[in-house]
Amino acid sequence: MTNSKDFKRVEDSQVTISELMLPNRANFNGKIHGGYVLSLLDQIAFACASKHSGTYCVTASVDTVDFLAPIEVGELLTMRASVNYVGRSSMVIGIRVETENIQTGEMKHCNSSYFTMVAKDKDGKSISVPGLILDNDHDIRRFTKSIKRNKMKKRRVDEFQETDFVSENYLHLLEDYKVKIDR
């Protein structure tokens, strides 16, 4: 029999943060610097994972960061983070970034990201996290998409760890690219 502390609902760990985008966060093009947004993404992923696990968490990987639209100075940035998937000690945190022009009310979806976080004990060892209660189709879809993303990630890692790589076997892949081979 499972204890109610063994599982948590998605909404129990959700975190939302908002911040007005100030000029000191702009890059040379006058848009909000992507590195600053990445820093905020890491912070909210930590908060969401720690809230779910009840312990300290570290970033294991940043699986996807899709910058979809520039963020302007003066916009109100809002990030929403949810636990999309749990393993034994890991969690995939999905983060949606939107901005609002506070003068016009126009909303923009600017970024979607997936961070894999791992729960740690005081000695730095990975520890078990609560399971996830999926109580609607949206949560089920996000969990199953995370499973698919994890499988694709494993295939990619396996492919790049090939020890029998022979460049001549892959030269045909370069035909459509702006590359010159000069050996």
Side-chain angles (χ1 to χ4, degrees):
M1 184 170 168
T2 59
N3 186 323
S4 63
K5 288 176 24 179
D6 294 337
F7 291 87
K8 287 186 174 180
R9 295 189 180 287
V10 172
E11 60 267 16
D12 293 339
S13 304
Q14 289 176 324
V15 177
T16 301
I17 61 171
S18 294
E19 182 177 324
L20 184 64
M21 294 292 100
L22 301 175
N24 65 328
R25 302 296 186 200
N27 61 24
F28 293 113
N29 199 31
K31 310 297 182 198
I32 299 304
H33 196 286
Y36 179 67
V37 175
L38 284 170
S39 171
L40 292 175
L41 289 166
D42 194 48
Q43 289 175 40
I44 196 169
F46 168 82
C48 184
S50 294
K51 192 173 179 183
H52 181 79
S53 66
T55 190
Y56 179 74
C57 294
V58 297
T59 305
S61 68
V62 179
D63 302 316
T64 306
V65 179
D66 292 325
F67 290 98
L68 306 172
I71 299 170
E72 307 289 338
V73 170
E75 290 182 325
L76 183 64
L77 177 138
T78 300
M79 293 184 173
R80 291 177 180 81
S82 296
V83 178
N84 287 4
Y85 168 88
V86 295
R88 191 193 71 73
S89 62
S90 67
M91 297 152 281
V92 173
I93 309 301
I95 308 165
R96 182 179 174 93
V97 179
E98 295 177 328
T99 60
E100 178 183 4
N101 179 313
I102 57 176
Q103 295 173 334
T104 67
E106 179 187 350
M107 300 291 291
K108 233 180 355 184
H109 178 201
C110 296
N111 189 301
S112 289
S113 303
Y114 300 95
F115 280 57
T116 299
M117 308 296 288
V118 176
K120 299 287 186 174
D121 67 13
K122 292 177 181 159
D123 298 322
K125 292 187 169 97
S126 297
I127 59 172
S128 215
V129 299
L132 205 54
I133 298 170
L134 307 175
D135 56 10
N136 60 58
D137 287 342
H138 182 67
D139 293 344
I140 293 167
R141 181 177 49 78
R142 290 189 327 188
F143 195 95
T144 55
K145 281 188 171 189
S146 291
I147 291 170
K148 288 179 79 170
R149 251 190 315 281
N150 286 343
K151 287 180 179 180
M152 289 183 343
K153 181 179 171 183
K154 179 163 179 15
R155 282 195 303 271
R156 189 175 61 245
V157 168
D158 291 346
E159 181 179 331
F160 282 101
Q161 290 179 346
E162 289 180 3
T163 57
D164 60 347
F165 181 86
V166 178
S167 61
E168 282 72 25
N169 295 344
Y170 295 95
L171 288 177
H172 68 280
L173 296 174
L174 304 175
E175 292 171 359
D176 295 330
Y177 292 91
K178 192 174 182 178
V179 62
K180 179 181 174 185
I181 299 172
D182 189 11
R183 301 191 214 188

